[in-house]
Amino acid sequence: MKLLYYPGCTLKTSAKNLEKSAFCVAEALGHEMVEMKDWTCCGVASSLTDDDLMHHLAPLRNLIHVEDEGEERIVALCDMCCNTLKQTNFRVKEKPDDLETLNLFMDRENDYKGTVKVMHFLEFLRDEVGFKTLKKMVKNPLKGMKIMPYYGCMLLRPREVAIDDAEEPTIMGDLLKSLGAEVIDNPFKIECCGSYHTIEEKKLVSDRAYRITKFAIDRGADAIMLSCPLCRFNLDVRGKEAEKIYNNYKQIPVYYYSQLITVALGLDLKNCGFGDHAVDPVLLLKKKGVFENKRE
Amino acid sequence: MNKIKGKIVDENSLKLKKGELAKEVEELSGENLFGCYQCGTCSAGCPYIEEMDLTPDEVIRYLILDRKEVLNSKTIWLCSSCFTCAERCPRDINITKIMEALRQIILRKNIDKTKLTKLTKEEKEVIPQLAFVCLFRKNVG
């Protein structure tokens, strides 16, 4: 099946490995991710003031371009993009007057009809592929790996656009179980990673990364799995920097879910781009003997 | 004792009449400030609470009491819109939107929190792009 895909800025620059590994997973599942035409920046932070419609223009323009291609679904890989597109989609459906204003403002675009469904790739894996199907395809189970799923904010909140329960999400845990890993629970799994403060408040974000990771380590985790490119940077890179602040602290590897699926399905590791991480993710996989693991 | 140490805007220069600040926040955010019964659930779950000069429930209290110095609070810039407070509020007040409204009141006076020229080349090369877009959206008018 063809999956129309919205990349966003980061997937084309500092998170190429997320894009590549997700493409590889989709292909293995018999789907083809096709990049949508004429995409623009989504605006990242959805407008939160009631009078500010201007910042809904960019996401709406993207949704219109999806309609122009005759598709009813758009799949996003970046949590932030997915959230922003969904929030705008929600707002224009809730408030038809706002949609009219936005449509009137745009000259060259067609009017938005409201037919597009925005979907996160994780949602697609859960709802359309099914983790059971995925489990059957596993070649190298992640046996012996204790992994903490980290959800962050944008998948779960605000509730209108959430893909899972805001307080007790299970989607990533279920995915990990289907790949054969042991899931380590952690109350910090739904807490903010520090987000854009990573630019101006490095110490603050390092502290956040430390708190989240330390708790996971104390509970026995030896890796973290997540989906957002900014969370990856903050936990991986700023977490590595926290080693200089906190004695005897060692940052554990951080994986995208798509990378772990790639490994578990026995697909080409070149697609994972593990070299872009601050803490070497391959070392742990080798130590745990994942590549030698066979299905029982 | 004054809890707010910073100064980003001179609140008296804004010439806000009595009660106007609360009204403006309510208009921008679409939330009812006076519905807050100060239970502190928002503050209990906030990931940045340790760094804040005012807790989120205090911000609401300051607004209700018309204490305009709230505009100089660190709290409104520390909020990264993670929506935890909004999700948990028993009065269903979207505190995240209140923080955004306070930021907007300042930004719309042409006062930027982040000075773009101060960003270094190293930062621009290493940090994911979406962080910059997000920072500019939140801290630059």
Side-chain angles (χ1 to χ4, degrees):
Chain A
M1 189 174 30
K2 178 186 158 192
L3 288 177
L4 199 65
Y5 154 67
Y6 173 85
C9 58
T10 309
L11 271 290
K12 289 290 172 197
T13 44
S14 54
K16 280 183 193 150
N17 48 357
L18 171 57
E19 181 183 66
K20 223 172 163 195
S21 52
F23 270 43
C24 158
V25 169
E27 198 190 321
L29 295 168
H31 303 289
E32 192 199 356
M33 301 265 260
V34 181
E35 190 176 313
M36 68 176 276
K37 282 180 218 139
D38 299 329
W39 60 269
T40 60
C41 172
C42 67
V44 183
S46 191
S47 161
L48 287 171
T49 37
D50 276 2
D51 65 343
D52 174 24
L53 282 178
M54 189 62 91
H55 289 99
H56 286 293
L57 280 172
L60 192 74
R61 193 171 281 129
N62 283 305
L63 295 173
I64 291 171
H65 290 160
V66 176
E67 275 185 348
D68 288 347
E69 289 197 40
E71 292 282 333
E72 291 192 338
R73 174 174 57 198
I74 184 76
V75 175
L77 285 171
C78 172
D79 293 18
M80 293 275 225
C81 298
C82 182
N83 192 292
T84 312
L85 293 173
K86 275 185 174 185
Q87 285 204 52
T88 295
N89 209 9
F90 179 78
R91 168 134 183 188
V92 297
K93 273 177 196 165
E94 283 287 289
K95 297 186 178 168
D97 288 353
D98 287 354
L99 178 60
E100 207 187 316
T101 313
L102 287 163
N103 275 334
L104 280 172
F105 183 84
M106 282 185 278
D107 287 340
R108 292 183 190 169
E109 276 81 7
N110 296 319
D111 281 359
Y112 182 55
K113 294 189 266 312
T115 54
V116 177
K117 188 177 181 223
V118 184
M119 215 176 193
H120 194 278
F121 189 54
L122 261 176
E123 248 180 316
F124 175 79
L125 290 177
R126 176 190 63 187
D127 300 338
E128 310 228 347
V129 177
F131 293 153
K132 272 186 190 157
T133 318
L134 206 60
K135 190 176 178 178
K136 282 182 203 143
M137 294 173 69
V138 169
K139 287 204 181 79
N140 303 114
L142 307 176
K143 228 171 70 189
M145 285 189 79
K146 294 177 181 171
I147 303 175
M148 168 205 152
Y150 176 76
Y151 295 85
C153 317
M154 291 298 150
L155 289 179
L156 309 173
R157 294 181 295 266
R159 70 187 75 130
E160 300 87 37
V161 299
I163 72 164
D164 207 345
D165 187 81
E167 300 288 345
E168 210 42 71
T170 56
I171 179 166
M172 285 198 200
D174 294 342
L175 171 65
L176 277 171
K177 277 179 210 157
S178 72
L179 300 179
E182 190 183 324
V183 180
I184 304 290
D185 197 27
N186 178 346
F188 287 105
K189 64 177 183 271
I190 56 167
E191 269 202 11
C192 178
C193 66
S195 190
Y196 59 90
H197 290 307
T198 197
I199 299 169
E200 292 193 306
E201 311 259 0
K202 295 188 180 66
K203 165 82 170 39
L204 175 78
V205 179
S206 281
D207 284 346
R208 294 231 40 85
Y210 168 77
R211 266 177 85 168
I212 294 162
T213 317
K214 182 71 171 52
F215 210 92
I217 296 172
D218 288 347
R219 289 193 162 197
D222 36 37
I224 296 172
M225 181 183 88
L226 42 68
S227 60
C228 174
L230 188 51
C231 296
R232 199 284 299 168
F233 179 83
N234 285 347
L235 291 187
D236 190 25
V237 179
R238 295 285 177 251
K240 182 90 184 150
E241 286 165 16
E243 288 178 0
K244 288 178 204 140
I245 308 170
Y246 299 97
N247 288 332
N248 299 325
Y249 171 66
K250 196 132 179 43
Q251 183 61 37
I252 53 179
V254 179
Y255 300 91
Y256 289 121
Y257 64 100
S258 53
Q259 290 173 324
L260 285 179
I261 303 174
T262 307
V263 171
L265 298 190
L267 305 169
D268 191 347
L269 280 190
K270 269 188 220 143
N271 296 304
C272 289
F274 281 136
D276 297 346
H277 291 229
V279 181
D280 185 5
V282 187
L283 219 60
L284 180 75
L285 293 170
K286 280 187 181 153
K287 200 174 126 197
K288 296 279 173 182
V290 170
F291 301 118
E292 286 83 50
N293 278 348
K294 288 282 166 294
R295 284 186 66 143
E296 283 157 20
Chain B
M1 196 191 81
N2 196 357
K3 290 182 178 176
I4 301 167
K5 299 271 184 284
K7 197 86 180 166
I8 168 162
V9 54
D10 179 11
E11 63 265 23
N12 297 319
S13 73
L14 300 178
K15 297 200 174 67
L16 289 159
K17 289 195 194 108
K18 199 177 175 192
E20 260 183 1
L21 181 60
K23 219 175 135 193
E24 198 172 343
V25 169
E26 286 198 329
E27 263 170 29
L28 286 176
S29 66
E31 299 296 312
N32 175 15
L33 293 170
F34 295 84
C36 169
Y37 54 30
Q38 294 284 301
C39 68
T41 305
C42 48
S43 308
C46 180
Y48 299 102
I49 196 74
E50 289 161 17
E51 307 283 328
M52 287 174 169
D53 45 9
L54 295 181
T55 60
D57 61 307
E58 274 179 315
V59 168
I60 296 179
R61 196 70 193 146
Y62 269 54
L63 284 169
I64 290 173
L65 296 174
D66 204 31
R67 293 181 65 172
K68 299 180 188 75
E69 66 263 38
V70 67
L71 287 170
N72 281 310
S73 165
K74 258 169 92 179
T75 302
I76 57 179
W77 303 104
L78 275 166
C79 167
S80 65
S81 307
C82 77
F83 294 97
T84 307
C85 50
E87 185 59 41
R88 291 178 183 171
C89 177
R91 300 286 290 153
D92 212 10
I93 298 170
N94 194 330
I95 300 114
T96 314
K97 288 182 83 179
I98 292 170
M99 297 294 170
E100 174 81 2
L102 284 165
R103 282 191 292 262
Q104 285 294 326
I105 288 172
I106 296 169
L107 295 175
R108 288 179 191 187
K109 301 272 184 257
N110 261 338
I111 301 166
D112 293 343
K113 173 74 168 64
T114 298
K115 302 280 176 278
L116 297 183
T117 43
K118 286 200 176 143
L119 300 175
T120 64
K121 189 164 176 263
E122 184 258 334
E123 284 168 346
K124 285 181 209 157
E125 277 169 5
V126 183
I127 299 170
Q129 287 63 28
L130 71 117
F132 288 99
V133 186
C134 206
L135 179 81
F136 300 162
R137 283 276 286 109
K138 294 284 179 196
N139 288 8
V140 184

Tab-separated table of all heavy atoms in Angstrom, chain A residues 44-73:
chain	number	residue	atom	x	y	z
A	44	VAL	N	5.920	23.786	13.833
A	44	VAL	CA	6.335	23.098	15.068
A	44	VAL	C	5.448	23.336	16.287
A	44	VAL	O	4.810	22.432	16.782
A	44	VAL	CB	7.808	23.384	15.438
A	44	VAL	CG1	8.199	22.605	16.666
A	44	VAL	CG2	8.717	22.987	14.304
A	45	ALA	N	5.427	24.569	16.785
A	45	ALA	CA	4.612	24.808	17.978
A	45	ALA	C	3.254	25.308	17.534
A	45	ALA	O	3.139	26.385	16.967
A	45	ALA	CB	5.288	25.828	18.870
A	46	SER	N	2.234	24.523	17.800
A	46	SER	CA	0.906	24.902	17.354
A	46	SER	C	0.457	26.164	18.091
A	46	SER	O	0.786	26.384	19.246
A	46	SER	CB	-0.085	23.775	17.622
A	46	SER	OG	-1.286	24.056	16.964
A	47	SER	N	-0.292	26.993	17.388
A	47	SER	CA	-0.759	28.243	17.964
A	47	SER	C	-1.666	27.979	19.154
A	47	SER	O	-2.595	27.188	19.083
A	47	SER	CB	-1.522	29.003	16.885
A	47	SER	OG	-2.344	29.962	17.467
A	48	LEU	N	-1.391	28.649	20.273
A	48	LEU	CA	-2.174	28.394	21.485
A	48	LEU	C	-3.026	29.578	21.920
A	48	LEU	O	-3.692	29.526	22.941
A	48	LEU	CB	-1.243	27.998	22.637
A	48	LEU	CG	-0.643	26.595	22.545
A	48	LEU	CD1	0.416	26.406	23.608
A	48	LEU	CD2	-1.722	25.544	22.704
A	49	THR	N	-2.960	30.665	21.161
A	49	THR	CA	-3.842	31.777	21.513
A	49	THR	C	-5.033	31.756	20.555
A	49	THR	O	-4.875	31.479	19.373
A	49	THR	CB	-3.111	33.135	21.430
A	49	THR	OG1	-2.220	33.090	20.328
A	49	THR	CG2	-2.346	33.419	22.690
A	50	ASP	N	-6.200	32.064	21.101
A	50	ASP	CA	-7.417	31.906	20.320
A	50	ASP	C	-7.492	32.825	19.105
A	50	ASP	O	-8.087	32.478	18.099
A	50	ASP	CB	-8.638	32.159	21.226
A	50	ASP	CG	-9.001	30.901	21.995
A	50	ASP	OD1	-8.281	29.888	21.827
A	50	ASP	OD2	-9.987	30.909	22.749
A	51	ASP	N	-6.874	34.010	19.216
A	51	ASP	CA	-7.001	34.961	18.109
A	51	ASP	C	-5.954	34.742	17.020
A	51	ASP	O	-5.998	35.382	15.989
A	51	ASP	CB	-6.900	36.395	18.644
A	51	ASP	CG	-5.525	36.688	19.238
A	51	ASP	OD1	-4.794	35.719	19.516
A	51	ASP	OD2	-5.186	37.865	19.416
A	52	ASP	N	-5.014	33.845	17.257
A	52	ASP	CA	-3.891	33.694	16.333
A	52	ASP	C	-4.145	32.580	15.322
A	52	ASP	O	-3.870	31.419	15.568
A	52	ASP	CB	-2.622	33.414	17.155
A	52	ASP	CG	-1.434	33.092	16.273
A	52	ASP	OD1	-1.447	33.515	15.111
A	52	ASP	OD2	-0.500	32.436	16.755
A	53	LEU	N	-4.689	32.974	14.175
A	53	LEU	CA	-4.938	31.980	13.130
A	53	LEU	C	-3.749	31.872	12.189
A	53	LEU	O	-3.571	30.872	11.512
A	53	LEU	CB	-6.179	32.370	12.322
A	53	LEU	CG	-7.529	32.083	12.971
A	53	LEU	CD1	-8.644	32.567	12.080
A	53	LEU	CD2	-7.687	30.595	13.250
A	54	MET	N	-2.927	32.916	12.169
A	54	MET	CA	-1.802	32.983	11.240
A	54	MET	C	-0.936	31.723	11.293
A	54	MET	O	-0.524	31.204	10.269
A	54	MET	CB	-0.967	34.222	11.586
A	54	MET	CG	0.107	34.548	10.592
A	54	MET	SD	-0.552	34.920	8.988
A	54	MET	CE	-0.766	36.684	9.086
A	55	HIS	N	-0.709	31.241	12.526
A	55	HIS	CA	0.186	30.099	12.648
A	55	HIS	C	-0.488	28.761	12.338
A	55	HIS	O	0.137	27.716	12.468
A	55	HIS	CB	0.838	30.081	14.028
A	55	HIS	CG	1.844	31.184	14.182
A	55	HIS	ND1	1.552	32.365	14.828
A	55	HIS	CD2	3.110	31.303	13.717
A	55	HIS	CE1	2.607	33.152	14.775
A	55	HIS	NE2	3.567	32.536	14.110
A	56	HIS	N	-1.761	28.809	11.967
A	56	HIS	CA	-2.391	27.581	11.473
A	56	HIS	C	-2.265	27.467	9.957
A	56	HIS	O	-2.636	26.455	9.376
A	56	HIS	CB	-3.876	27.554	11.863
A	56	HIS	CG	-4.106	27.269	13.321
A	56	HIS	ND1	-3.807	26.048	13.884
A	56	HIS	CD2	-4.550	28.045	14.320
A	56	HIS	CE1	-4.092	26.087	15.183
A	56	HIS	NE2	-4.534	27.288	15.474
A	57	LEU	N	-1.753	28.536	9.334
A	57	LEU	CA	-1.680	28.540	7.872
A	57	LEU	C	-0.733	27.466	7.334
A	57	LEU	O	-1.087	26.736	6.415
A	57	LEU	CB	-1.214	29.918	7.369
A	57	LEU	CG	-2.278	31.006	7.319
A	57	LEU	CD1	-1.632	32.334	6.991
A	57	LEU	CD2	-3.350	30.679	6.296
A	58	ALA	N	0.463	27.393	7.931
A	58	ALA	CA	1.449	26.439	7.412
A	58	ALA	C	0.962	24.995	7.495
A	58	ALA	O	0.995	24.269	6.496
A	58	ALA	CB	2.782	26.620	8.137
A	59	PRO	N	0.471	24.549	8.668
A	59	PRO	CA	-0.043	23.175	8.705
A	59	PRO	C	-1.222	22.972	7.755
A	59	PRO	O	-1.314	21.935	7.090
A	59	PRO	CB	-0.494	22.985	10.151
A	59	PRO	CG	-0.084	24.170	10.919
A	59	PRO	CD	0.489	25.169	10.000
A	60	LEU	N	-2.102	23.980	7.682
A	60	LEU	CA	-3.281	23.830	6.824
A	60	LEU	C	-2.882	23.726	5.355
A	60	LEU	O	-3.446	22.925	4.608
A	60	LEU	CB	-4.249	25.013	7.018
A	60	LEU	CG	-5.616	24.772	6.390
A	60	LEU	CD1	-6.414	23.777	7.216
A	60	LEU	CD2	-6.413	26.044	6.228
A	61	ARG	N	-1.882	24.511	4.976
A	61	ARG	CA	-1.412	24.457	3.589
A	61	ARG	C	-0.930	23.043	3.258
A	61	ARG	O	-1.204	22.519	2.178
A	61	ARG	CB	-0.288	25.473	3.402
A	61	ARG	CG	0.054	25.726	1.962
A	61	ARG	CD	1.006	26.883	1.808
A	61	ARG	NE	0.353	28.178	1.898
A	61	ARG	CZ	0.751	29.170	2.698
A	61	ARG	NH1	1.780	29.008	3.481
A	61	ARG	NH2	0.107	30.315	2.705
A	62	ASN	N	-0.236	22.440	4.201
A	62	ASN	CA	0.218	21.064	3.983
A	62	ASN	C	-0.951	20.103	3.842
A	62	ASN	O	-0.934	19.204	2.999
A	62	ASN	CB	1.131	20.621	5.131
A	62	ASN	CG	2.520	21.207	5.008
A	62	ASN	OD1	3.169	21.047	3.986
A	62	ASN	ND2	2.957	21.893	6.042
A	63	LEU	N	-1.970	20.292	4.676
A	63	LEU	CA	-3.144	19.418	4.589
A	63	LEU	C	-3.849	19.592	3.244
A	63	LEU	O	-4.348	18.626	2.666
A	63	LEU	CB	-4.110	19.707	5.747
A	63	LEU	CG	-3.583	19.392	7.152
A	63	LEU	CD1	-4.548	19.860	8.225
A	63	LEU	CD2	-3.340	17.893	7.316
A	64	ILE	N	-3.874	20.831	2.740
A	64	ILE	CA	-4.479	21.078	1.429
A	64	ILE	C	-3.693	20.345	0.336
A	64	ILE	O	-4.272	19.724	-0.552
A	64	ILE	CB	-4.536	22.601	1.135
A	64	ILE	CG1	-5.549	23.269	2.069
A	64	ILE	CG2	-4.901	22.870	-0.319
A	64	ILE	CD1	-5.546	24.772	2.033
A	65	HIS	N	-2.376	20.405	0.452
A	65	HIS	CA	-1.551	19.716	-0.552
A	65	HIS	C	-1.792	18.203	-0.529
A	65	HIS	O	-1.688	17.539	-1.547
A	65	HIS	CB	-0.065	20.025	-0.335
A	65	HIS	CG	0.286	21.443	-0.671
A	65	HIS	ND1	1.402	22.077	-0.204
A	65	HIS	CD2	-0.367	22.356	-1.441
A	65	HIS	CE1	1.437	23.319	-0.669
A	65	HIS	NE2	0.366	23.509	-1.420
A	66	VAL	N	-2.099	17.675	0.650
A	66	VAL	CA	-2.436	16.245	0.723
A	66	VAL	C	-3.737	15.983	-0.034
A	66	VAL	O	-3.841	15.036	-0.819
A	66	VAL	CB	-2.579	15.791	2.193
A	66	VAL	CG1	-3.031	14.336	2.263
A	66	VAL	CG2	-1.266	15.962	2.944
A	67	GLU	N	-4.713	16.858	0.179
A	67	GLU	CA	-5.983	16.714	-0.549
A	67	GLU	C	-5.768	16.840	-2.052
A	67	GLU	O	-6.383	16.116	-2.836
A	67	GLU	CB	-6.987	17.773	-0.079
A	67	GLU	CG	-7.761	17.353	1.160
A	67	GLU	CD	-8.846	18.344	1.548
A	67	GLU	OE1	-8.861	19.462	1.011
A	67	GLU	OE2	-9.672	17.991	2.412
A	68	ASP	N	-4.872	17.761	-2.434
A	68	ASP	CA	-4.587	17.956	-3.857
A	68	ASP	C	-4.039	16.686	-4.504
A	68	ASP	O	-4.228	16.450	-5.688
A	68	ASP	CB	-3.567	19.090	-4.053
A	68	ASP	CG	-4.189	20.452	-3.761
A	68	ASP	OD1	-5.435	20.503	-3.657
A	68	ASP	OD2	-3.441	21.436	-3.618
A	69	GLU	N	-3.335	15.894	-3.713
A	69	GLU	CA	-2.787	14.644	-4.259
A	69	GLU	C	-3.825	13.521	-4.261
A	69	GLU	O	-3.522	12.391	-4.598
A	69	GLU	CB	-1.557	14.209	-3.452
A	69	GLU	CG	-0.361	15.109	-3.687
A	69	GLU	CD	0.947	14.484	-3.248
A	69	GLU	OE1	1.138	13.279	-3.467
A	69	GLU	OE2	1.769	15.211	-2.654
A	70	GLY	N	-5.009	13.849	-3.806
A	70	GLY	CA	-6.089	12.860	-3.822
A	70	GLY	C	-5.968	11.813	-2.724
A	70	GLY	O	-6.510	10.715	-2.839
A	71	GLU	N	-5.233	12.151	-1.660
A	71	GLU	CA	-5.062	11.186	-0.567
A	71	GLU	C	-5.905	11.593	0.645
A	71	GLU	O	-6.211	12.775	0.833
A	71	GLU	CB	-3.588	11.126	-0.153
A	71	GLU	CG	-2.673	10.515	-1.196
A	71	GLU	CD	-2.743	8.998	-1.245
A	71	GLU	OE1	-3.059	8.382	-0.209
A	71	GLU	OE2	-2.492	8.424	-2.327
A	72	GLU	N	-6.241	10.611	1.451
A	72	GLU	CA	-7.026	10.930	2.643
A	72	GLU	C	-6.233	10.733	3.930
A	72	GLU	O	-6.751	10.926	5.015
A	72	GLU	CB	-8.284	10.059	2.673
A	72	GLU	CG	-9.239	10.459	1.579
A	72	GLU	CD	-10.602	9.844	1.723
A	72	GLU	OE1	-10.704	8.810	2.405
A	72	GLU	OE2	-11.546	10.398	1.147
A	73	ARG	N	-4.993	10.287	3.737
A	73	ARG	CA	-4.215	10.059	4.944
A	73	ARG	C	-2.796	10.557	4.740
A	73	ARG	O	-2.233	10.434	3.660
A	73	ARG	CB	-4.163	8.563	5.258
A	73	ARG	CG	-3.242	8.277	6.433
A	73	ARG	CD	-3.300	6.847	6.840
A	73	ARG	NE	-2.962	5.976	5.736
A	73	ARG	CZ	-3.263	4.684	5.713
A	73	ARG	NH1	-3.922	4.131	6.694
A	73	ARG	NH2	-2.911	3.939	4.692
